[in-house]
Amino acid sequence: MVTIPVAALTSTGKTIPLVGFGTAEYPFSSSNEASKEAALQAIRSGYRHFDTAALYQSEQPLGEAIAEALSLGLIKSRDELFITSKLWVSNAHRHLVLPALQNTLKNLGLEYLDLYLIHFPASLRPGSVYPFKEDDIVAMDYESVWEAMEECQLLRLTKTIGVSNFTCKKLHKLLATAKIHPAVNQVEMNPVWQQTKLREFCEEKGIHITAYSPLGAKGTPWGTSRVMESEILKEIATSKGKTIAQVCLRWIYTQGVSVVVKSFDKERMKENLDIFDWKLSAEDLHKIEQIPQSRGSLAEVYITEKGPFKSIEDIWDGEI
């Protein structure tokens, strides 16, 4: 079984495994048994970080898998795992944050999370469901929502708090009033969207980056085939005797960034962990740096004349 390296979260002194197992399936209607079995297999393969969210509908099957892993002796205690979940935007209101986390913990059957993230820097009217309507989109009150996130950490319902899909500008706004700084910013990152500017900003502020869609998330509405069809990545993979996926994951690991991978296939789960005992050369890294850049997830569903985001520019603050 592979031992996965960890990175320190500077805001708390905790550590995060550098490769995590994602539980999101699109469309977001999780098959409980398939999700549970995949999580169990991931634990057997060596994964210790599991990424879920209220939106994914995968919290309950993940919780069942954790309970079964404990009963089977695959892990000795819950403390061996690092569990991340996310606050969905319809609950991104001061008075709804704590109840949302409590519901997440109930779904998982856990007493605490290791990391709780604001899923997206917007809010929906309370009670809105996915897919949502334009009239449901409202501006997030960053200060009050983050205060509620801080309260969750102070209550020890989560060991650390963070955000997802935040730009430099939005992080700057959050940091202006935050008493506890976000430990993590989980964002789209892969060789065709390398997030250089954001990574530099987060490193300066002591915020760890976790990458999602490391292979481009082909097959989802926000996904792209540009990663897996990149000729540069194909050439590097062939020369190394590795898969394109392994080259992508090794590149992310080389950047000091953690990554969330998702495959329910047993062999691919193992392949995605086979990235630690070989290296990309300086020439390989230089070639990857030259790949044309383009964001995959534009989040156009949040654009509306009546809402806080009237354009792609408003959402991503020029980081496109």
Side-chain angles (χ1 to χ4, degrees):
M1 187 176 71
V2 177
T3 299
I4 298 172
V6 300
L9 300 177
T10 56
S11 67
T12 62
K14 308 295 182 182
T15 59
I16 182 171
L18 285 169
V19 179
F21 186 80
T23 63
E25 288 187 277
Y26 191 84
F28 300 121
S29 54
S30 181
S31 165
N32 278 28
E33 195 57 33
S35 294
K36 174 186 169 184
E37 289 305 316
L40 271 173
Q41 183 56 51
I43 290 172
R44 290 189 181 99
S45 300
Y47 291 88
R48 291 297 180 264
H49 177 193
F50 289 83
D51 181 87
T52 183
L55 174 66
Y56 304 160
Q57 300 180 39
S58 60
E59 291 174 335
Q60 186 174 338
L62 174 57
E64 291 171 359
I66 293 169
E68 188 162 332
L70 285 165
S71 69
L72 293 173
L74 299 178
I75 51 175
K76 294 180 180 178
S77 73
R78 181 264 181 266
D79 291 345
E80 292 182 34
L81 302 179
F82 188 103
I83 308 299
T84 298
S85 194
K86 307 179 190 75
L87 174 78
W88 182 232
V89 285
S90 59
N91 288 319
H93 302 273
R94 176 74 175 86
H95 67 292
L96 295 179
V97 175
L98 178 57
L101 174 53
Q102 290 170 328
N103 191 59
T104 279
L105 292 174
K106 180 181 177 182
N107 288 339
L108 287 162
L110 300 178
E111 294 182 355
Y112 68 90
L113 293 178
D114 295 277
L115 177 62
Y116 195 43
L117 304 175
I118 295 175
H119 205 141
F120 195 84
S123 296
L124 297 180
R125 299 187 194 283
S128 303
V129 295
Y130 187 91
F132 46 84
K133 302 173 183 176
E134 286 188 0
D135 288 347
D136 292 332
I137 305 166
V138 296
M140 178 187 287
D141 182 341
Y142 288 76
E143 184 173 357
S144 69
V145 171
W146 190 251
E147 282 178 354
M149 294 288 286
E150 292 173 330
E151 180 184 343
C152 291
Q153 181 170 323
L154 294 172
L155 289 171
R156 299 184 180 179
L157 296 178
T158 181
K159 290 188 174 181
T160 46
I161 52 178
V163 296
S164 183
N165 298 300
F166 271 57
T167 61
C168 297
K169 183 177 179 179
K170 290 177 174 62
L171 281 170
H172 185 77
K173 181 177 180 180
L174 184 69
L175 290 169
T177 60
K179 296 181 179 67
I180 300 173
H181 283 195
V184 171
N185 187 15
Q186 185 180 120
V187 297
E188 177 188 4
M189 179 179 161
N190 53 57
V192 305
W193 188 239
Q194 298 179 17
Q195 295 276 22
T196 304
K197 177 183 176 182
L198 182 65
R199 284 192 283 128
E200 289 174 355
F201 179 87
C202 286
E203 184 175 2
E204 177 188 332
K205 302 299 182 182
I207 300 170
H208 177 79
I209 292 282
T210 295
Y212 71 75
S213 299
L215 310 181
K218 183 180 178 181
T220 67
W222 61 88
T224 174
S225 61
R226 289 189 298 274
V227 178
M228 299 304 287
E229 293 177 4
S230 165
E231 290 301 324
I232 291 175
L233 296 176
K234 286 179 184 178
E235 290 172 10
I236 294 172
T238 299
S239 69
K240 289 283 186 289
K242 300 294 181 181
T243 66
I244 293 174
Q246 287 171 323
V247 170
C248 291
L249 298 176
R250 177 68 203 193
W251 175 79
I252 290 173
Y253 172 69
T254 301
Q255 310 310 307
V257 168
S258 59
V259 61
V260 173
V261 296
K262 200 232 102 179
S263 175
F264 283 10
D265 180 86
K266 181 178 177 180
E267 293 308 312
R268 285 207 182 117
M269 283 185 200
K270 293 178 180 177
E271 278 184 8
N272 289 339
L273 292 180
D274 182 19
I275 62 170
F276 302 118
D277 61 355
W278 56 277
K279 295 182 178 180
L280 294 168
S281 68
E283 183 182 0
D284 294 332
L285 294 172
H286 179 70
K287 287 179 180 178
I288 292 172
E289 286 175 3
Q290 307 312 306
I291 294 175
Q293 296 294 288
S294 178
R295 181 186 289 277
S297 176
L298 296 178
E300 299 103 317
V301 292
Y302 290 98
I303 297 175
T304 169
E305 283 300 316
K306 298 178 182 178
F309 304 129
K310 296 175 175 57
S311 67
I312 295 292
E313 172 70 26
D314 288 342
I315 297 175
W316 301 114
D317 301 314
E319 297 175 23
I320 53 175

